[in-house]
Structure formats: C-alpha cells, structure tokens
Amino acid sequence: MKSDNKKLFDNSILYAINGILAKGIHFFLLPIYTIYMSPEEYGILNIVMSFNSVAMYLIILSLDSALMRYYNEYKDDVESIKRAYGTVFVIILATSTIFLTVCLVFRKVLLKTVFDGIDFVPYILLGLIILVLDSIYTIHRRMLETLQDGVKVTKVNILGIVVSSIISLIFLSIFRLGVEGVLISSLIVSACTIIFMIYDIVVHHMMIFCFD
C-alpha cells in the first residue's frame, strides 16, 4: 500500500511538472507566433485545434476511462487486461477511421459550418490526420497512466512538446510556412508518438489484438 501511494504521489508530481512545462513553452511561443503568423492564421490554428479537442471525445467515447476501471478490477488477470486493451484499441481504430471518412465525405458541410472561410487543404486535412493519430495514442497514454508508468508518459510528452516547438520555429522563421508549418510540426510529432506506441506495445507485449 505504501509503495502504491508513493508511486501515485511521484506520478502526480511528474504530471504536474509536465503540465507546467507545456503551458510555459506555449506561453513563450505565443509572441513568436504573433510575429510569424497573421491574426487570420492564428485564428485558423485555434479553430482547428479546438475542433480536434472536441472531436477526440467523440472518437474515444470515454473508452479510456472504461479501460482504467477494467484494469483496477481485473489487474491480476494479465491476459484479460491485454485483451481488453486490444479490444479498445480496435474500437478506437474503427471510430477514428469512420470519423475521418465522414469528415472527408461531408467536407463541404464542415466548410460551411465549422470551418467557414478556411481551406480544407492543407489546414483542415492536416488537422484531421493529427486528430486520428492523437486519438489512437491517447489510449496508449492512458494505459501507461493506469500502469502508473508516469516516467515514461512524462518523457514522451516533454520530448514531444520540445521537438514540436523546435520544428515549428524552424518552419515559421526559416521556411515561412505560417500556420501550415505549425500543423506539420504537430503531425510529425503525432506520427512519432504512434511509432513509439507500436514499439512499446510489441516490446512489452502489452496487448492482444482482438475484439471481444
């Protein structure tokens, strides 16, 4: 019990540090963004990111929370946990694919309602791809949090924030890509987190790919 409480306390500190660092970097980048991006471009970035934040709830369907509750109930049954993780993973793959397909098919509706005046390519398309990748990785991140592997979660998050910030600055200041450069940098980091996720799952045998 003491060991579990200590791990919980340590992880809480790590997550707090991660959150403070993320907000600090974003605060530092804000004036730089205003230099290299017009108010219109910054508005596009905010709309795309806000849409992704809401849409992720529709894709994940609170299955991350359900997986955490399942783990707490059956944590001694390793195979059941792996199968539960695999099932949730399959569902998220399906819901994210369906959501992306619906957005592509009804893109004209999105352009008239949510993204009025914003070009579908490249801005919205980049945002949708980022949304799918981040939704998939979120399930793995939540699984790591459930396993109380706060060190791994924090390392990946901080590395992602730093790398994304560096690439964004390069794309903004050198290549003058504007909001497209910021979205591309986010896409690169999101793709890297998926690669890490696959490696982590395979190496540590974390999942049985199934649909129970």
Side-chain angles (χ1 to χ4, degrees):
M1 180 64 70
K2 288 184 178 180
S3 178
D4 291 340
N5 290 336
K6 184 179 184 302
K7 186 176 290 188
L8 179 62
F9 177 75
D10 292 343
N11 287 336
S12 298
I13 293 177
L14 287 173
Y15 298 146
I17 293 173
N18 176 58
I20 293 171
L21 182 61
K23 292 182 183 300
I25 291 178
H26 289 153
F27 180 78
F28 170 75
L29 289 176
L30 181 59
I32 299 177
Y33 282 168
T34 58
I35 293 174
Y36 293 105
M37 287 195 299
S38 65
E40 180 183 358
E41 285 184 309
Y42 193 73
I44 291 173
L45 180 63
N46 278 334
I47 291 174
V48 171
M49 292 296 108
S50 297
F51 175 81
N52 282 8
S53 297
V54 175
M56 188 175 292
Y57 287 102
L58 299 177
I59 292 175
I60 294 179
L61 302 172
S62 296
L63 288 174
D64 56 333
S65 299
L67 183 61
M68 293 178 71
R69 289 195 297 270
Y70 187 90
Y71 174 84
N72 290 327
E73 187 173 351
Y74 297 98
K75 58 184 177 182
D76 295 328
D77 190 345
V78 177
E79 183 172 352
S80 292
I81 296 299
K82 290 182 179 181
R83 295 187 69 86
Y85 182 24
T87 298
V88 170
F89 192 83
V90 169
I91 294 174
I92 298 303
L93 284 178
T95 55
S96 59
T97 301
I98 292 171
F99 188 88
L100 177 60
T101 302
V102 170
C103 288
L104 292 175
V105 172
F106 296 99
R107 59 184 178 275
K108 290 184 179 180
V109 177
L110 281 176
L111 289 173
K112 289 181 179 179
T113 54
V114 181
F115 300 109
D116 186 28
I118 302 176
D119 294 333
F120 188 83
V121 178
Y123 307 124
I124 302 173
L125 183 59
L126 284 172
L128 289 174
I129 298 173
I130 293 169
L131 169 64
V132 170
L133 297 179
D134 286 352
S135 297
I136 295 171
Y137 175 70
T138 294
I139 293 299
H140 186 65
R141 176 177 59 79
R142 293 285 280 173
M143 187 63 185
L144 291 176
E145 291 174 355
T146 302
L147 296 172
Q148 297 193 40
D149 198 346
V151 174
K152 185 182 294 183
V153 172
T154 303
K155 284 181 179 179
V156 173
N157 287 350
I158 291 177
L159 183 62
I161 293 169
V162 172
V163 172
S164 177
S165 300
I166 292 174
I167 297 176
S168 293
L169 290 175
I170 293 174
F171 283 161
L172 285 171
S173 61
I174 298 178
F175 295 100
R176 304 286 178 171
L177 291 178
V179 64
E180 184 179 352
V182 177
L183 290 172
I184 291 174
S185 68
S186 295
L187 177 59
I188 292 173
V189 172
S190 295
C192 289
T193 59
I194 293 297
I195 294 173
F196 158 74
M197 178 195 73
I198 295 172
Y199 171 83
D200 200 32
I201 290 173
V202 172
V203 171
H204 297 98
H205 309 288
M206 298 178 64
M207 176 198 301
I208 296 176
F209 198 73
C210 62
F211 184 72
D212 291 340

